[in-house]
Amino acid sequence: MEKRTLYDELQKFEQELQAILAQVGDMKTAIHSLVEENLNLELENKHLREHLIQLEKTQGSSDGKQELSKSRLNLEKLYEEGFHVCNILYGSRRENNEECAFCLDVIYGERGK
């Protein structure tokens, strides 16, 4: 091999190594960003789980029906038997047991107020 050819090959090899080094640097930066994002998501997930546990404790193990007043429980029973309990269609039969948003609002809507 000639000295010039050897030098050209060495220079070409050096450029390829520099390109590979640049790619490794880019990959390192990307991995750093992913690790940071993963840690942030894990922390957020931990906080959300703690918040969920706290909410479950404050709400207790009630299923919702126990929170209804006696009159609302009666309306719920009528509704489950297939009758409207809303002021629009009160007393009429619900066809094919379709849900009625107005009835559901009457039964469950004001629980939080």
Side-chain angles (χ1 to χ4, degrees), residues 45-58:
N45 192 14
K46 179 183 174 189
H47 289 306
L48 289 172
R49 286 185 192 278
E50 290 171 357
H51 184 66
L52 181 62
I53 290 169
Q54 185 181 18
L55 285 175
E56 288 174 349
K57 284 181 182 177
T58 58

Side-chain angles (χ1 to χ4, degrees), residues 37-47:
E37 182 182 2
N38 188 36
L39 288 174
N40 287 335
L41 290 173
E42 285 177 358
L43 185 61
E44 183 180 0
N45 192 14
K46 179 183 174 189
H47 289 306

Side-chain angles (χ1 to χ4, degrees), residues 3 17 22 29 40 47 53 79 87 90 93 100-101 104 110:
K3 291 180 184 179
L17 283 177
T29 302
N40 287 335
H47 289 306
I53 290 169
Y79 181 78
N87 60 352
Y90 184 79
R93 268 238 183 252
C100 174
L104 293 174
E110 297 182 20

